[in-house]
Amino acid sequence: MNPRERYPPGIGNGRGGGGGGGGNGNPNPNFYGRNPQQQYVQRNYQPSLQYRQLQQQQQELQQLQQQQWMKRNQIGKESSGNEVVEKAVQSETYDSSSQNWKAQLKIPPKDTRYMTEDVTATKGNEFEDYFLKRELLMGIYEKGFERPSPIQEESIPIALTGSDILARAKNGTGKTAAFCIPALEKIDPDNNVIQVVILVPTRELALQTSQVCKELGKHLKIEVMVTTGGTSLKDDIMRLYQPVHLLVGTPGRILDLAKKGVCVLKDCSMLVMDEADKLLSPEFQPSIEQLIRFLPANRQILLFSATFPVTVKDFKDRYLKKPYIINLMDELTLKGITQYYAFVEERQKVHCLNTLFSKLQINQSIIFCNSVNRVELLARKITELGYSCFYIHAKMLQDHRNRVFHDFRNGACRNLVCTDLFTRGIDIQAVNVVINFDFPKNSETYLHRVGRSGRFGHLGLAVNLITYEDRFNLYRIEQELGTEIKQIPPQIDQAIYCR
């Protein structure tokens, strides 16, 4: 049998195949234009004609290769060495619009506010240095991200290698994007299974994180689902029968769905735990450990938080394989946030709050109380004083909580009164003032409350209303955080929290 007749032209290693192509990878354009049946008829009944056609195809292919190499050589004379390599590997079919993809992005206006070194002290890397998918880069830039923050510079390349990570960084320095970007990069949209699970401690944070994932991945064909307690279980079950690639939620609800066999996690290669110190508290840790049993043995685990108590170390030793440790917190305090206390009696607190509202330049403020009842009472008082005010706490209906959270984020109201439900990870850029109407009992709670202002390196102000009973807590928190909370002056310079 003639070896040339083993394959039709363009298939296998036979003569006439376009796969060699001198490296250009383009099959012979004449081959695809012929009817396959006609092609075999010609080969069977007119072998001499077929042979001539094969020779002609080879000649055309050689001419095409020569033209392309001449073009590339011409490019080499006009460009520097790096540009030659770049242009040589680019497809000849790219048009000018695809090469200039950045110019077509809908990038939001640049944030010109002052930023602290928490987010500006970078190594100078760009998002493009991580070889991310172009569609993901488009989402990153359209979200308003210009270049990676320090925690993103440290986390993204390590996460892309598949290593476990234990990362500690200050509130508001870009931790969410530090794990969302590698998660979205590693997902295969053609494989309709859950590939990434992101666990968070509160329902509001789950909604916020899923929204970030959707915005960053809006040019990718990735399905993001959010599931939390307080919502319809039936709706979640129905949604899981549709493709889901990335699942964001609270541990209890995801564990419930996994036990029912609806949420299948055997192909989930990445587990992210945001606010890991809270997730590994006695309230959540049993659910987390049960949930990990549904994951494959070769899963990747990423832990992110601002504080890491002993429980996190125990979990790391048991479940993380040679984790990469990232610690960007030499001290617990937040740069850019000025902290004051005002010494008042309990009955003077509302009057003092009224004075603060009249003197401060507030974009948006969050006011913390230590109990649900005090949240509702204070919100009513603030409304009576004539200021716009929402309130939120854990005993409200979930739909109501979602509406308050959404409206406050969108600037529908200037002041929000809440419990510690709102201390974890909530990122509202416009908040520049935090007021502790009730002073917290421990330093971690204080740190997370204060961290709601001054997001992503911007300036913020924290005012603490201190009663006689709070004086010991104030001193202890100052010592534990290694910071100084100063007495409030008669006039506060706007430049320290409004630049």
Side-chain angles (χ1 to χ4, degrees):
M1 183 178 177
N2 189 335
R4 294 192 188 107
E5 296 179 2
R6 290 179 61 200
Y7 300 101
I11 297 181
N13 298 318
R15 298 280 294 276
N24 76 340
N26 293 324
N28 189 336
N30 294 327
F31 171 68
Y32 289 102
R34 292 199 301 269
N35 185 319
Q37 292 179 345
Q38 181 186 358
Q39 172 189 323
Y40 279 97
V41 168
Q42 288 180 341
R43 195 180 75 176
N44 293 335
Y45 296 108
Q46 299 183 28
S48 60
L49 175 61
Q50 173 70 11
Y51 182 67
R52 288 199 302 273
Q53 286 181 331
L54 288 171
Q55 284 187 316
Q56 184 180 355
Q57 289 169 11
Q58 281 187 314
Q59 289 171 358
E60 290 173 356
L61 194 59
Q62 288 172 354
Q63 289 174 357
L64 182 63
Q65 291 170 7
Q66 287 173 354
Q67 289 172 2
Q68 288 176 342
W69 280 111
M70 286 175 67
K71 283 182 185 177
R72 291 172 185 174
N73 288 337
Q74 185 65 29
I75 290 170
K77 292 174 184 176
E78 296 171 357
S79 308
S80 66
N82 288 337
E83 290 172 339
V84 173
V85 176
E86 189 177 346
K87 292 183 180 179
V89 296
Q90 281 180 346
S91 170
E92 301 287 336
T93 58
Y94 274 12
D95 57 19
S96 58
S97 63
S98 66
Q99 290 177 13
N100 198 22
W101 59 275
K102 265 192 175 181
Q104 300 177 28
L105 299 179
K106 298 174 182 174
I107 296 176
K110 187 171 180 175
D111 191 340
T112 57
R113 289 180 292 170
Y114 174 83
M115 295 167 73
T116 65
E117 63 183 33
D118 289 343
V119 294
T120 59
T122 66
K123 298 174 182 175
N125 292 335
E126 302 286 342
F127 285 111
E128 289 164 84
D129 295 340
Y130 306 127
F131 302 99
L132 304 171
K133 297 169 190 164
R134 175 173 293 183
E135 293 80 6
L136 178 54
L137 285 170
M138 291 165 70
I140 289 170
Y141 290 130
E142 288 188 344
K143 185 87 171 70
F145 297 170
E146 296 171 16
R147 55 185 53 84
S149 69
I151 183 61
Q152 291 162 8
E153 282 186 322
E154 295 288 338
S155 303
I156 292 173
I158 302 300
L160 291 173
T161 67
S163 299
D164 290 350
I165 290 178
L166 184 68
R168 183 180 178 197
K170 294 179 176 68
N171 292 299
T173 55
K175 290 198 294 289
T176 303
F179 57 75
C180 287
I181 288 171
L184 291 166
E185 172 66 24
K186 294 182 78 171
I187 287 173
D188 176 8
D190 297 325
N191 188 12
N192 288 329
V193 294
I194 296 171
Q195 298 171 48
V196 176
V197 169
I198 300 176
L199 295 177
V200 295
T202 67
R203 300 168 185 179
E204 284 70 28
L205 186 51
L207 292 172
Q208 178 179 285
T209 304
S210 67
Q211 186 62 29
V212 170
C213 291
K214 288 174 183 174
E215 289 171 357
L216 290 172
K218 67 180 180 181
H219 296 288
L220 297 162
K221 294 177 181 176
I222 290 176
E223 294 294 332
V224 179
M225 175 181 166
V226 59
T227 178
T228 65
T231 58
S232 167
L233 188 63
K234 179 183 174 185
D235 289 349
D236 285 350
I237 292 171
M238 296 297 289
R239 176 67 182 87
L240 282 166
Y241 281 111
Q242 305 298 318
V244 175
H245 300 113
L246 192 157
L247 184 63
V248 184
T250 47
R253 172 55 66 91
I254 294 180
L255 179 61
D256 192 15
L257 291 166
K259 285 180 174 176
K260 286 179 165 59
V262 184
C263 178
V264 180
L265 300 176
K266 64 183 179 64
D267 299 298
C268 176
S269 58
M270 182 187 286
L271 174 68
V272 180
M273 294 168 57
D274 191 17
E275 304 294 341
D277 58 333
K278 181 68 174 176
L279 287 174
L280 294 176
S281 65
E283 179 186 356
F284 289 109
Q285 188 160 354
S287 299
I288 300 283
E289 294 184 353
Q290 288 182 61
L291 194 57
I292 288 177
R293 294 182 195 136
F294 289 92
L295 300 173
N298 61 343
R299 81 264 150 169
Q300 177 185 12
I301 299 180
L302 312 182
L303 304 184
F304 284 80
S305 187
T307 52
F308 276 137
V310 177
T311 51
V312 176
K313 183 183 183 305
D314 295 341
F315 181 86
K316 170 184 77 78
D317 294 341
R318 279 188 293 154
Y319 291 101
L320 273 64
K321 304 164 190 169
K322 297 181 180 176
Y324 188 87
I325 311 293
I326 299 169
N327 184 7
L328 300 185
M329 290 186 68
D330 298 325
E331 73 283 333
L332 282 172
T333 52
L334 285 157
K335 291 184 177 69
I337 297 181
T338 304
Q339 305 164 76
Y340 290 127
Y341 74 87
F343 195 70
V344 296
E345 293 181 25
E346 181 64 41
R347 58 189 176 82
Q348 295 176 322
K349 279 187 175 181
V350 173
H351 174 71
C352 184
L353 193 62
N354 188 22
T355 306
L356 287 173
F357 283 159
S358 63
K359 287 188 173 184
L360 296 178
Q361 182 65 43
I362 296 175
N363 296 334
Q364 281 187 297
S365 77
I366 298 179
I367 303 152
F368 287 102
C369 296
N370 288 347
S371 73
V372 167
N373 288 339
R374 285 173 70 81
V375 164
E376 295 193 5
L377 287 169
L378 180 59
R380 191 173 299 121
K381 286 282 187 184
I382 292 172
T383 305
E384 289 170 3
L385 291 171
Y387 299 102
S388 64
C389 181
F390 287 162
Y391 68 85
I392 189 169
H393 56 69
K395 293 186 179 178
M396 290 164 57
L397 292 172
Q398 188 59 44
D399 285 346
H400 190 188
R401 276 169 60 173
N402 293 350
R403 171 54 53 191
V404 170
F405 181 45
H406 176 270
D407 288 351
F408 186 68
R409 277 185 73 93
N410 290 339
C413 183
R414 179 163 289 183
N415 307 296
L416 178 71
V417 185
C418 62
T419 56
D420 287 323
L421 165 80
F422 227 60
T423 59
R424 289 287 176 166
I426 299 304
D427 179 41
I428 300 174
Q429 292 286 325
V431 173
N432 66 334
V433 175
V434 166
I435 299 172
N436 280 318
F437 189 81
D438 293 335
F439 197 65
K441 298 289 190 289
N442 62 64
S443 56
E444 285 185 9
T445 302
Y446 178 81
L447 184 73
H448 283 288
R449 283 186 181 185
V450 168
R452 294 318 98 205
S453 71
R455 304 298 292 173
F456 206 72
H458 297 129
L459 299 177
L461 177 69
V463 179
N464 303 285
L465 304 187
I466 303 296
T467 63
Y468 185 75
E469 289 76 19
D470 295 323
R471 69 193 189 282
F472 296 117
N473 275 346
L474 175 68
Y475 176 77
R476 181 171 48 81
I477 287 173
E478 279 186 313
Q479 298 303 306
E480 289 179 7
L481 297 182
T483 188
E484 182 185 6
I485 305 173
K486 300 176 182 176
Q487 186 169 2
I488 193 167
Q491 295 295 327
I492 298 175
D493 182 7
Q494 287 186 14
I496 65 174
Y497 65 101
C498 290
R499 248 191 297 171

